[in-house]
Amino acid sequence: KAGVTQTPRYLIKTRGQQVTLSCSPISGHRSVSWYQQTPGQGLQFLFEYFSETQRNKGNFPGRFSGRQFSNSRSEMNVSTLELGDSALYLCASTAGGTDTQYFGPGTRLTVL
Amino acid sequence: AQSVTQPDIHITVSEGASLELRCNYSYGATPYLFWYVQSPGQGLQLLLKYFSGDTLVQGIKGFEAEFKRSQSSFNLRKPSVHWSDAAEYFCAVGANDYKLSFGAGTTVTVRA
């Protein structure tokens, strides 16, 4: 079974731009979670989607948003990028019921 | 809210020696506990998980962890370390809400 895939793997943007990251979960998994990883703050939960509905949200500003499609694929969007948004963005999928999250390789976002 | 503490930021171990990584969690009920490993520039790979039952859990790559409720700990161990075990290790706690809280991570260096 294929793992979680994330595209693109690397992105370079400038301040003020917006960016969209994509995540395809493991086949059959309906829950998708997003995390931000930085050297200073570590791994922080962004949000989680199930059946196209956001069920849980972390403590991030409204510039961070996401959505999930009917095929469980998910996207996250960051608007008005700031230098501090430079991070590795990780997506994880879950079969359900146990919190066992399987992570993708991440998207490395650099904001200049 | 749940939280995780990994007291050791960096551990250096000789190849063939044993390894123990410490993890303490804070959560009111019985948590879901996980250990993940991350190689540079990669996503997180699940090593093992604890939900209930036997407090000693076996994982991949020869790792095991022991859940001790009285000490709120979930320490990871490996009897004999290989050079390929050099990576960053994260302990995480979940509360069946699809939101994992991670520790700050422990970087393991393996010397020949």
Side-chain angles (χ1 to χ4, degrees):
Chain A
K1 198 181 264 191
V4 177
T5 58
Q6 293 186 246
T7 57
R9 292 293 310 277
Y10 302 92
L11 266 178
I12 299 175
K13 294 286 187 179
T14 56
R15 278 180 299 173
Q17 287 187 310
Q18 73 163 14
V19 67
T20 299
L21 313 181
S22 180
C23 171
S24 292
I26 293 170
S27 177
H29 287 194
R30 296 170 64 190
S31 168
V32 173
S33 301
W34 289 89
Y35 294 82
Q36 181 196 64
Q37 184 179 25
T38 60
Q41 299 299 315
L43 281 151
Q44 295 184 285
F45 173 78
L46 280 157
F47 28 65
E48 183 258 345
Y49 287 86
F50 179 83
S51 291
E52 303 177 64
T53 301
Q54 185 183 92
R55 291 195 300 190
N56 211 338
K57 188 178 189 303
N59 206 17
F60 279 81
R63 299 185 297 107
F64 292 80
S65 63
R67 60 177 176 168
Q68 187 181 35
F69 302 94
S70 58
N71 62 357
S72 294
R73 189 177 70 85
S74 177
E75 289 180 348
M76 67 163 282
N77 183 277
V78 188
S79 62
T80 320
L81 284 166
E82 301 177 358
L83 295 179
D85 297 332
S86 294
L88 181 67
Y89 289 89
L90 293 163
C91 163
S93 74
T94 309
T98 61
D99 266 5
T100 303
Q101 299 188 12
Y102 297 91
F103 284 80
T107 295
R108 171 72 63 185
L109 173 64
T110 302
V111 182
L112 302 176
Chain B
Q2 60 265 38
S3 66
V4 176
T5 301
Q6 293 181 246
D8 305 305
I9 296 173
H10 190 198
I11 286 181
T12 299
V13 61
S14 297
E15 192 168 15
S18 63
L19 174 68
E20 181 167 13
L21 303 182
R22 297 183 290 165
C23 171
N24 292 98
Y25 69 91
S26 173
Y27 182 60
T30 299
Y32 297 155
L33 293 163
F34 307 85
W35 275 99
Y36 288 88
V37 61
Q38 185 178 39
S39 297
Q42 303 298 312
L44 301 175
Q45 181 182 23
L46 179 67
L47 285 175
L48 46 78
K49 58 190 177 184
Y50 172 79
F51 295 149
S52 63
D54 193 349
T55 57
L56 185 63
V57 294
Q58 302 297 320
I60 63 171
K61 302 185 179 188
F63 285 93
E64 66 178 26
E66 186 171 13
F67 170 62
K68 292 186 177 180
R69 184 188 304 276
S70 60
Q71 298 176 20
S72 297
S73 69
F74 189 56
N75 294 348
L76 182 72
R77 298 192 293 255
K78 185 168 184 177
S80 178
V81 168
H82 186 262
W83 63 266
S84 60
D85 293 322
E88 190 163 18
Y89 292 79
F90 293 92
C91 181
V93 61
N96 201 25
D97 59 358
Y98 303 94
K99 171 189 171 184
L100 294 182
S101 296
F102 286 87
T106 298
T107 299
V108 173
T109 298
V110 180
R111 59 182 174 217

